[in-house]
Amino acid sequence: MTITATLEVFRCAPGGVDGRFESYDVTVHDNATVLDAIEAVWANHDRSLVFRHACHHASCGSCGVLVNGSEVLPCIVDLADALRQRSPVRVEPLRNLPLAGDLVVDVTGFFERMLASTMSITRTAEDALPLDADDDGGRSQAVSVPDGLARFNRFENCVECGICISACPTMATDERFRGPAMLAALGRARAESADPQQREHLLDLADGEHGVWRCHSSWECTQRCPQQVDPAESIMEQRREILRRRFRRRVR
Amino acid sequence: MAVSTPSGPSRVRSAGRWFDVRHRGPGTWAYALNRITGLALVGYLYIHLAVLSLLARGPGSYDRFVDLVRSPLFLALDLVLIAGWLIHALNGLRLTVVGLGFGVRAQRTMLVVATGAGLLALVVSAVLLFGD
């Protein structure tokens, strides 16, 4: 069984020059995802279409786009569902990041921020957990797990797709705002660190007018995150920690 | 470390995103309404001060104005003002509590409670305004 759909795809030159929507009719198998349909546009209509993808199962975080106005990973959105929402299905690049061309945004600055948070992109989650402290030569003994392993793991789930950056309305007007992903990563790195100096440093990075205090609580980052990371909760928790620290310093 | 947007939209167009609630969740509705009501209440403050300045021209001038604003049209506008004030005040309380890191996971519940309390207070206000 196949389905035929029309896709309205945003096309532009690097920097967003000559931005326009172009329509393409595609025929794909009936359990196809929106990413399958985008690939069909590339394969059957226009090999110059610029889009990014890798894993096809929401692990790599590279295919994030707007589908019918909402930030999603199109690799896990059924085309049939998108069609029920709106026909033709509209596909646009993420917002609040420089346009590199068509559906691709430049994530260089975004990744630099994630690196600054000290959250290692390549580390595996297991290395961070003290579950097998006897077997790993003591590597993970310095790690402290806060209350509830499930909550601890939630911030580990970030696939750095940039969806929260696109969804955040505050990000649109403050390009120096560190943004939900970096702030969540700072909170996560801080929860993991047992080094008091490092914990202070991470809290310093989160503090400031372009840090946690710039967030104006629309909760879109948490609403849109495809991995249930909940950056907004992390931002608010770090605010509480910063306030607690200021209070302690004053009464000392 | 800043995310550069050399060819990005202008700041005014970007600020328009604050009020773009299409495809957004209830949090963005609250976010946009808080901004709209905040701006409107600042505007109202100036109107209010201008009206109060009528007192400087003597009681007659002020009384004539008060007679005018007792009309149903102005009472309806009062209700709009009360609605704006309730949205800003109740959501502001929610944002203050949550924004300082307290009851973060109850923020959605707080939004529902604030909406309910606001609607109730608006109905009571309407009854008091138009009741007699």
Side-chain angles (χ1 to χ4, degrees):
Chain A
M1 291 284 285
T2 59
I3 47 172
T4 300
T6 304
L7 262 65
E8 284 177 355
V9 181
F10 185 80
R11 305 298 305 269
C12 71
V17 178
D18 192 22
R20 69 212 179 271
F21 283 97
E22 285 186 10
S23 293
Y24 304 94
D25 294 326
V26 291
T27 301
V28 287
H29 54 91
D30 60 357
N31 59 353
T33 64
V34 174
L35 181 58
D36 293 330
I38 295 169
E39 286 184 291
V41 171
W42 174 82
N44 303 325
H45 290 277
D46 189 346
R47 293 259 167 172
S48 75
L49 176 68
V50 185
F51 66 109
R52 185 164 46 208
H53 70 90
C55 74
H56 285 87
H57 56 255
S59 282
C60 71
S62 58
C63 66
V65 286
L66 300 186
V67 171
N68 297 334
S70 292
E71 289 83 359
V72 292
L73 295 176
C75 62
I76 50 168
V77 175
D78 283 337
L79 180 62
D81 288 342
L83 272 170
R84 269 192 289 277
Q85 251 179 6
R86 185 184 192 274
S87 182
V89 174
R90 179 166 274 208
V91 186
E92 302 163 75
L94 294 179
R95 300 185 275 203
N96 303 333
L97 291 159
L99 276 170
D102 294 345
L103 298 176
V104 172
V105 289
D106 181 356
V107 290
T108 313
F110 170 56
F111 278 1
E112 279 170 5
R113 287 176 188 207
M114 295 308 283
L115 282 171
S117 75
T118 74
M119 274 281 283
S120 165
I121 292 171
T122 53
R123 182 200 52 197
T124 60
E126 286 75 18
D127 280 348
L129 299 174
L131 300 177
D132 52 354
D134 294 337
D135 309 327
D136 68 354
R139 251 188 313 139
S140 55
Q141 280 179 350
V143 173
S144 65
V145 180
D147 303 342
L149 198 57
R151 281 193 63 220
F152 186 67
N153 273 334
R154 277 163 76 190
F155 296 102
E156 189 78 14
N157 287 343
C158 177
V159 291
E160 296 168 354
C161 57
I163 277 177
C164 56
I165 303 296
S166 174
C168 173
T170 304
M171 206 78 222
T173 44
D174 180 12
E175 61 186 40
R176 294 176 64 195
F177 179 40
R178 293 184 190 106
M182 178 184 177
L183 293 170
L186 284 170
R188 172 63 181 74
R190 189 170 166 278
E192 180 185 305
S193 174
D195 173 4
Q197 268 189 329
Q198 174 71 351
R199 286 169 61 82
E200 289 290 293
H201 168 67
L202 292 168
L203 207 55
D204 286 340
L205 274 175
D207 200 358
E209 63 171 312
H210 301 293
V212 287
W213 304 104
R214 180 62 74 185
C215 166
H216 291 299
S217 320
S218 79
W219 259 270
E220 278 304 324
C221 52
T222 292
Q223 179 106 8
R224 300 293 151 202
C225 178
Q227 299 286 2
Q228 288 79 48
V229 168
D230 201 351
E233 182 182 329
S234 177
I235 289 170
M236 298 312 166
E237 281 180 352
Q238 287 174 88
R239 281 184 179 182
R240 194 179 57 215
E241 283 308 307
I242 290 165
L243 284 175
R244 191 174 285 167
R245 186 172 72 169
R246 283 186 195 168
F247 180 74
R248 277 199 202 120
R249 282 178 183 173
R250 275 182 188 271
V251 296
R252 224 174 251 167
Chain B
M1 211 165 71
V3 174
S4 59
T5 50
S7 57
S10 72
R11 288 185 76 80
V12 174
R13 261 184 67 196
S14 297
R17 285 272 321 277
W18 293 349
F19 308 107
D20 186 358
V21 294
R22 291 171 299 168
H23 317 290
R24 300 289 114 178
T28 294
W29 281 87
Y31 176 96
L33 278 173
N34 227 53
R35 273 156 179 68
I36 292 165
T37 52
L39 291 169
L41 287 169
V42 169
Y44 172 77
L45 178 67
Y46 285 102
I47 296 170
H48 182 62
L49 291 173
V51 167
L52 285 182
S53 72
L54 289 174
L55 280 171
R57 293 193 216 157
S61 157
Y62 187 75
D63 289 345
R64 270 197 302 281
F65 178 78
V66 170
D67 284 340
L68 172 70
V69 295
R70 279 187 179 145
S71 67
L73 173 70
F74 276 88
L75 288 181
L77 285 174
D78 273 345
L79 204 59
V80 173
L81 173 70
I82 292 167
W85 182 84
L86 282 168
I87 290 168
H88 201 79
L90 293 173
N91 190 43
L93 282 175
R94 163 182 165 260
L95 293 180
T96 305
V97 172
V98 174
L100 296 177
F102 300 101
V104 178
R105 275 184 256 174
Q107 64 89 13
R108 236 171 206 266
T109 312
M110 283 189 222
L111 186 57
V112 172
V113 170
T115 306
L119 285 172
L120 185 66
L122 195 63
V123 169
V124 172
S125 304
V127 170
L128 290 174
L129 270 175
F130 293 103
D132 47 34

